[in-house]
Amino acid sequence: MNLLLLSNSSSDAGYLVHALPDIRELIATLPAGAPAVFVPYAGVTRDWDDYTTLVVSALADTGLDIQGLHRAADPAAALEQAAVIIVGGGNTFNLLGQLRRQGLLSVVARRVREGAAYLGWSAGSNLACPSICTTNDMPITDPEGFDALGLLSFQINPHYTNAHPPGHRGETRAQRLAEFCTLNPTMPVLGLPEGAALRVRDAAITLVGPHDATLFLGGNEPRVFQPGVLEIPA
């Protein structure tokens, strides 16, 4: 498989700017004008046409021919023909529910396993996991099940931070992930901070970007990974 899973899309540099070198590497073997689909379904308050326009503009110099999946006459056929599947962030529950209800979840999973490149950020990165249970989003809609693409054998928590503002009485992110790990003690969770990404080439997984990532597993002490090749416990 050929995946790039970003924690976030926006930064002070601009939309997807920080990730462009890794995106170009992801699609380096593709010809100019290679067909790509953008899945905007995580957008809820963001109009899907506007979302697609934003992504097309951000990736204009990659040479990809990007079509919004919501505008395809036959979405399944568009996914079959796509050399790159791009899945944007927003609300992970809405993203999963839309794909499941349209019968497209299995199509995306199969196409990526067949070799289509996959670029996701935030909710799009959550979607690549076994389930969406480590998203940060509110369950604003029922996705009719939490099982996702299962392209990874572990979970991701995008936008990971363990910040705890003074006076805030709610749980930290680490405490929330500890709750997940208590009930799912054999499932690893990688906390992926802003600016970080995972590059997946078949079985090889590399942490890219300037920041460390934190691995949570059962009741073990969280383990910190530096950028480089990762060995996630099976």
Side-chain angles (χ1 to χ4, degrees), residues 197-222:
L198 293 183
R199 183 72 176 90
V200 181
R201 303 173 184 85
D202 296 322
I205 302 171
T206 304
L207 174 64
V208 298
H211 304 299
D212 297 343
T214 304
L215 183 74
F216 299 83
L217 178 60
N220 299 330
E221 189 71 20

Side-chain angles (χ1 to χ4, degrees), residues 121-141:
W121 54 87
S122 193
S125 294
N126 276 131
L127 191 72
C129 299
S131 78
I132 65 165
C133 290
T134 53
T135 178
N136 303 307
D137 303 332
M138 288 186 176
I140 60 172
T141 185

Side-chain angles (χ1 to χ4, degrees), residues 35-113:
V37 293
F38 173 61
V39 182
Y41 299 150
V44 177
T45 57
R46 173 176 274 164
D47 177 83
W48 291 349
D49 286 333
D50 292 343
Y51 199 177
T52 302
T53 297
L54 175 65
V55 171
V56 169
S57 176
L59 300 180
D61 69 352
T62 64
L64 293 174
D65 181 12
I66 303 173
Q67 173 189 24
L69 187 62
H70 67 296
R71 287 296 184 184
D74 185 339
L79 288 168
E80 295 288 358
Q81 297 164 9
V84 186
I85 298 172
I86 306 168
V87 185
N91 186 276
T92 314
F93 294 90
N94 200 58
L95 168 64
L96 179 60
Q98 288 285 343
L99 287 171
R100 197 188 305 283
R101 285 187 285 273
Q102 294 183 52
L104 300 176
L105 192 65
S106 61
V107 180
V108 174
R110 176 175 52 78
R111 287 293 298 123
V112 176
R113 290 192 173 93

